[in-house]
Amino acid sequence: MFEPLPTPAQMARWDHAAIHEVGIRGELLMENAGREALNVLRRNYGPLRGARVLVLAGPGNNGGDSFVLARHLHNLGADTVLLHSRAQNAYKGHARYHLRLAKRVGTPLRRLTAAQLERIRLHGIRNHGPHSSQDDPHSVDILVDGLLGTGFSGLLRSDMLEIIHAANRIAQNAFTLSLDIPSGLNGATGTPQPEAVHADVTATFGAVKLGLALPAAQTFTGMVAPCDIGIPNFCLDAAPPDHFRITPEIMGIAPAPQPAMHKGQAGHLLVIGGSPGLTGAPHLAALAALRAGCGLVTVAAPASLCREIKGGRPEIMTLPLDGAPGTTQWDQTAAQDMIRHIADNPTRYNAVALGPGMGRHADTADFIRRIGPHLPQSTVCDADALYHLSQMPDMLPPGIVMTPHPGEAARLLHVSSTEVQADRLHAVRSLARRYKAVAVLKGAWTLVADSTSRVHLCDIAAPALAVGGSGDVLTGLTGAMLAAGISPLHAACLSVYWHAAAGKFLETDQPRGHLAGDIADALPRVRFPATNKQPINQWRIPC
């Protein structure tokens, strides 16, 4: 269900533990990395014999991976040229060992400079001298980027920046493979510093690094191929990961239909929401819960709004709250009615979805404050309830699920939405800690965090979800999973993935123009197909 996304520092600790605690030789791990990269190249490029391959080797261990790959390419009959960025006698340790092997088998080596790359771009691998008259911009078939690894931080030096610019000019007409990470990317944030190699495929070793899974990296990574290089799971204890990718296997915890089940066994969700002009929000939440398999859904709302909220759907039950005569607001009388109903029916509802379309009237804040102590932990809080929560942080019990978009998160954290988006990982952790909740920060690459500060990332970006009411669908879906007895963290992660998968499913027909109701209607259509081993967006391949 969850795939570790180590930071560069954590990955370095795993490597160190494999070598110094388990006793695996570093040269062997480097050999495994180069061999796995070769397999990735074979799968994605095809036959390698005769291919013109330019391998760029940086100054560190990433350069050592390049030496291994260049040696194997040369051995397979590829027309390989290996360019190394530092003097041969300056390489140390494992990289030096593999450089010697590459030399012994006759791999052509040359010193790497930006000028050398430009000559190769203009005149080809074998005709790159300053007096050559040949001009073939397609002279390089494959470019291997092994310049900088995940240990790189800070800004690129001017000479390396010039080399990366030159490499990218070659990459425009060559299949480009980056080793571990596109050179120039920050391995923790995925941001270029300030530029990076544009790869077609990135073969990343040991595990997908956190930065590769974040939105900023997508322009540069191409397809990300995680490669097992033989680091034992034992080594993860040396630096336990605190970031995880939500995998398709999360769908396996969704409640499965049983032959003898009845509606009471499929959960009963109470949706509390709706106000004048916003009656569609609780309707969508209720519809999504039903489409996700919830057995019963009841919407509690001011009595005068219930018919409109029901919207002609006989499947949606309503609980009219008796407020002051003729009122359409959530007043003190409605709160007393809600509390009395919960007290009289202590086992009726398995979960609560609070907030869709409730409005921002002052009486609504008082309503939420009054009913807060009576709500179960299996509560999802969204929309206008989050507005009121930002002003009264202690009005709801700990352990609930909250699902803000960046604007709502900014209000909850008392910062700007720009600050939230600038460091989404920090923002979602802050939400979870401040409100003692499972926090879902919505957006492309939605994040889920709990009070342990572990963050779970959904790497599906679906533009079809960018429509009004989409968040209400997620609220209802999350409520349905809570009503099914799934823990708050797992319910949030499952719902985020399922919701994104529904958006991706709709895009197979057309990318935009879908309504929020279409997202809800798509939920039962993607639930079981999404249980295959491959991610919905196919952004990576197994090695």
Side-chain angles (χ1 to χ4, degrees):
M1 296 191 298
F2 302 124
E3 175 184 290
L5 297 172
T7 63
Q10 288 167 340
M11 192 70 236
R13 292 280 300 280
W14 297 0
D15 283 337
H16 185 273
I19 295 170
H20 297 285
E21 295 180 31
V22 179
I24 301 173
R25 294 184 64 86
E27 294 89 346
L28 177 59
L29 292 176
M30 192 169 282
E31 177 71 20
N32 291 346
R35 290 283 303 218
E36 288 299 322
L38 179 68
N39 291 335
V40 171
L41 197 53
R42 280 170 158 162
R43 289 191 190 101
N44 289 275
Y45 181 81
L48 298 172
R49 180 173 293 278
R52 293 165 292 189
V53 186
L54 185 62
V55 181
L56 310 182
N61 284 339
N62 209 233
D65 300 332
S66 301
F67 298 150
V68 175
L69 179 55
R71 184 183 90 238
H72 287 297
L73 287 167
H74 175 71
N75 189 56
L76 288 173
D79 187 3
T80 306
V81 172
L82 172 59
L83 301 184
H84 48 92
S85 64
R86 64 194 308 187
Q88 293 182 29
N89 59 8
Y91 284 96
K92 305 296 181 185
H94 314 319
R96 183 175 186 175
Y97 170 82
H98 284 291
L99 173 59
R100 289 202 304 266
L101 294 186
K103 289 178 64 176
R104 285 174 187 167
V105 300
T107 309
L109 287 89
R110 297 188 180 87
R111 189 67 185 268
L112 170 63
T113 64
Q116 176 81 291
L117 284 180
E118 188 62 14
R119 285 195 294 271
I120 290 175
R121 183 181 73 86
L122 293 174
H123 306 299
I125 286 179
R126 294 301 172 194
N127 300 286
H128 61 280
H131 305 295
S132 173
S133 60
Q134 244 183 323
D135 191 4
D136 179 8
H138 300 285
S139 60
V140 176
D141 299 313
I142 299 170
L143 175 68
V144 175
D145 158 38
L147 293 169
L148 298 170
T150 56
F152 162 71
S153 61
L155 293 176
L156 290 166
R157 299 194 317 266
S158 58
D159 57 338
M160 187 58 74
L161 179 61
E162 190 179 358
I163 286 171
I164 288 176
H165 281 311
N168 279 334
R169 287 192 288 271
I170 293 175
Q172 291 175 2
N173 296 299
F175 181 90
T176 303
L177 172 71
S178 283
L179 303 182
D180 213 15
I181 190 170
S183 295
L185 282 191
N186 182 300
T189 66
T191 54
Q193 304 295 309
E195 181 57 284
V197 170
H198 289 260
D200 295 297
V201 176
T202 298
T204 191
F205 307 129
V208 178
K209 315 310 180 292
L210 174 62
L212 294 176
L214 296 176
Q218 304 309 299
T219 302
F220 303 93
T221 60
M223 179 178 285
V224 176
C227 299
D228 183 358
I229 62 171
I231 296 177
N233 289 335
F234 163 84
C235 299
L236 274 64
D237 294 335
D242 44 23
H243 303 88
F244 300 86
R245 170 180 169 259
I246 304 171
T247 71
E249 285 74 20
I250 192 76
M251 295 299 293
I253 69 171
Q258 301 298 322
M261 73 185 301
H262 58 77
K263 61 187 178 183
Q265 294 175 318
H268 191 168
L269 175 66
L270 175 64
V271 178
I272 304 175
S275 61
L278 297 174
T279 53
H283 176 94
L284 286 168
L287 177 63
L290 289 167
R291 290 297 192 193
C294 197
L296 296 165
V297 179
T298 298
V299 178
S304 59
L305 299 176
C306 284
R307 179 183 295 272
E308 192 174 339
I309 289 171
K310 194 174 182 70
R313 283 276 186 181
E315 306 91 343
I316 299 175
M317 299 182 291
T318 57
L319 174 63
L321 298 178
D322 295 325
T327 185
T328 58
Q329 298 294 346
W330 300 86
D331 59 14
Q332 179 178 339
T333 306
Q336 292 170 345
D337 196 17
M338 185 79 261
I339 293 169
R340 184 167 52 251
H341 178 78
I342 293 174
D344 292 343
N345 301 274
T347 61
R348 183 172 186 179
Y349 305 108
N350 304 106
V352 173
L354 176 69
M358 288 191 78
R360 299 182 178 181
H361 194 276
D363 285 347
T364 305
D366 183 63
F367 174 91
I368 297 174
R369 182 184 60 80
R370 288 175 180 273
I371 71 166
H374 303 275
L375 296 177
Q377 188 182 59
S378 54
T379 293
V380 54
C381 182
D382 187 32
D384 293 322
L386 296 175
Y387 172 83
H388 299 294
L389 184 63
S390 69
Q391 300 174 348
M392 297 182 292
D394 299 322
M395 70 180 185
L396 293 176
I400 65 167
V401 178
M402 58 194 309
T403 58
H405 58 58
E408 292 164 338
R411 186 178 295 110
L412 287 160
L413 294 173
H414 306 293
V415 298
S416 69
S417 57
T418 300
E419 290 174 276
V420 168
Q421 290 295 80
D423 193 345
R424 286 171 55 85
L425 290 169
H426 174 72
V428 75
R429 282 194 173 98
S430 297
L431 287 167
R433 286 195 298 264
R434 178 173 296 188
Y435 293 94
K436 300 179 178 63
V438 173
V440 176
L441 181 55
K442 295 184 289 196
W445 284 264
T446 291
L447 303 174
V448 183
D450 62 9
S451 57
T452 67
S453 292
R454 291 177 179 165
V455 178
H456 303 76
L457 176 148
C458 177
D459 60 14
I460 303 175
L465 300 179
V467 62
S470 176
D472 300 311
V473 172
L474 178 60
T475 299
L477 172 56
T478 305
M481 297 303 98
L482 290 170
I486 300 174
S487 72
L489 175 63
H490 288 85
C493 291
L494 169 59
S495 300
V496 163
Y497 186 92
W498 195 348
H499 185 251
K504 211 66 181 175
F505 174 84
L506 291 174
E507 290 173 8
T508 59
D509 178 33
Q510 62 186 59
R512 292 287 292 155
H514 301 288
L515 306 180
D518 298 329
I519 302 170
D521 290 339
L523 291 174
R525 303 177 66 186
V526 300
R527 172 177 171 181
F528 295 106
T531 58
N532 62 70
K533 297 282 185 181
Q534 293 296 323
I536 291 292
N537 61 347
Q538 296 291 308
W539 77 288
R540 64 187 72 210
I541 59 174
C543 289

